[in-house]
């Protein structure tokens, strides 16, 4: 009886996915310092704006020390400057700052801090620290980026807030110097780099048009709410345009007179002739 040889086939396991390239501590610190310094200098504009709307030096500095979220701070003093009710202005700033809670949910898993550290780290959860942290490839780099960005931005923001408030008090009427436009100018400077595609630019432009048109007609604060309609309006138009150009009319339909597809391997049928056997 012939011998039966057993043939074994060896299957090679798929290679593991390549690990993300490691980021050096120096690169993380460089990026974190760049973000912290660039944004921290904007605290000067907040100090000037806050003092210009009538807040005291202590109130201005307390906002930066305790609130520490630039957009909410500017929203608060902007509403007060427009003559809004203080409670309404505070409510608007609160809801604007609530977005940081969603950042915190993501950063909690990335940073992995202990429960005793999380309440202190939560005070630094803002747009800039979240961006630097989430850009890191591993937990160690993420913690380093979060700490350096948060510390740099917190210290510099509060120092420049103090300098801006003191400078505004020394100058007197900020409107006479044109410094009341410092807050909106900072907002535009932060917003412009984020508009990366045509849809975002069109939405921003439409929002500006809505504000300019409704500003003389509607009560204070309402034009800003109206401008929020720009984003869904642009998305609706984009969706309709996309559905209209997604496919050419009749491109996905087969010709009605074309013969049906013949299964692979089936011999081609020919009409019977007299020479063919019955």
């Amino acid at each position: 009886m012939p011998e039966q040889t057993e043939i074994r086939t060896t299957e090679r396991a798929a290679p593991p996915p390549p690990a993300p390239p490691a980021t050096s501590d120096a690169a993380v610190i460089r990026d974190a310092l760049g973000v912290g310094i660039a944004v921290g200098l904007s605290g000067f504009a907040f100090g000037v704006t806050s003092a210009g709307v009538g807040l005291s030096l202590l109130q201005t500095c307390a906002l930066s020390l305790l609130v520490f979220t630039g957009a909410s701070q500017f929203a608060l003093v902007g509403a007060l400057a427009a003559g809004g009710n203080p409670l309404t202005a505070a409510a608007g700033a609160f809801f604007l700052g609530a977005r940081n809670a969603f950042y915190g949910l993501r950063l909690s898993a990335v940073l992995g801090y202990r429960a005793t550290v999380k309440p202190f780290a939560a005070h630094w959860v803002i747009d800039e620290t979240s961006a630097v942290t989430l850009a890191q490839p591993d937990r160690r780099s993420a913690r380093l980026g979060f700490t350096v960005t948060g510390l740099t931005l917190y210290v510099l923001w509060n120092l420049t807030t103090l300098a801006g408030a003191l400078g505004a008090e020394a100058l007197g009427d900020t409107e006479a110097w044109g410094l009341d436009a410092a807050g909106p100018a900072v907002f535009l400077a932060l917003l412009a780099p984020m508009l990366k595609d045509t849809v975002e630019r069109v939405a921003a432009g439409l929002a500006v048009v809505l504000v300019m048109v409704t500003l003389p007609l509607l009560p204070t604060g309402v034009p800003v709410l109206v401008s929020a309609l720009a984003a869904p309006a642009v998305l609706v138009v984009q969706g309709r345009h996309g559905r209209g150009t997604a496919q050419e009319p009749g491109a996905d339909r087969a010709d009605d007179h074309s013969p049906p597809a013949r299964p692979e391997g089936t011999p081609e049928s020919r009409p019977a002739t007299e020479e063919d056997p019955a």
Side-chain angles (χ1 to χ4, degrees):
M1 185 175 182
E3 295 182 358
Q4 295 181 353
T5 57
E6 184 180 0
I7 300 176
R8 295 182 180 180
T9 58
T10 58
E11 296 181 358
R12 294 184 179 179
T23 304
S24 65
D25 291 350
V28 177
I29 294 174
R30 180 196 61 214
D31 295 340
L33 287 175
V35 173
I37 293 173
V39 181
L41 294 175
S42 303
F44 183 85
F46 170 73
V48 171
T49 306
S50 180
V53 302
L55 295 182
S56 66
L57 178 64
L58 179 60
Q59 291 171 328
T60 300
C61 292
L63 279 174
S64 286
L65 286 168
L66 302 177
V67 178
F68 186 56
T69 169
S72 297
Q73 294 176 230
F74 276 113
L76 175 64
V77 298
L80 294 176
N85 183 282
L87 293 179
T88 305
F94 172 80
F95 286 112
L96 184 59
R99 73 191 187 282
N100 295 332
F102 297 97
Y103 294 153
L105 294 175
R106 181 72 179 94
L107 293 184
S108 178
V110 173
L111 297 173
Y113 285 140
R114 293 176 295 179
T116 54
V117 180
K118 286 182 179 180
F120 300 97
H123 193 52
W124 286 355
V125 175
I126 54 177
D127 298 329
E128 292 77 19
T129 55
S130 300
V132 173
T133 302
L134 296 176
Q136 306 309 320
D138 53 67
R139 174 166 290 181
R140 183 179 180 279
S141 298
R143 287 183 174 182
L144 180 61
F146 177 83
T147 302
V148 175
T149 306
L151 180 62
T152 305
L153 186 51
Y154 187 76
V155 172
L156 191 56
W157 179 270
N158 282 280
L159 289 177
T160 54
T161 295
L162 175 62
L166 290 174
E169 289 185 353
L171 291 175
D173 185 10
T174 56
E175 294 185 3
W177 294 84
L179 297 180
D180 55 316
V186 171
F187 265 128
L188 291 177
L190 295 175
L191 176 64
M194 300 180 184
L195 306 178
K196 298 180 180 180
D197 56 32
T198 304
V199 175
E200 294 174 352
R201 296 189 186 100
V202 171
L206 180 59
V208 172
V209 172
L210 289 175
V211 169
M212 298 300 293
V213 171
T214 58
L215 191 61
L217 306 176
L218 299 178
T220 301
V222 177
V224 176
L225 299 177
V226 174
S227 68
L229 299 175
V234 171
L235 291 177
V236 169
V237 174
Q238 183 194 24
R240 291 180 177 178
H241 178 72
R243 287 194 299 268
T245 59
Q247 58 182 9
E248 293 292 334
D252 59 340
R253 293 181 300 178
D255 187 3
D256 294 338
H257 300 287
S258 60
R262 180 168 52 87
E264 185 177 356
T266 304
E268 183 178 359
S269 60
R270 295 183 293 112
T273 61
E274 294 179 357
E275 297 178 356
D276 291 337

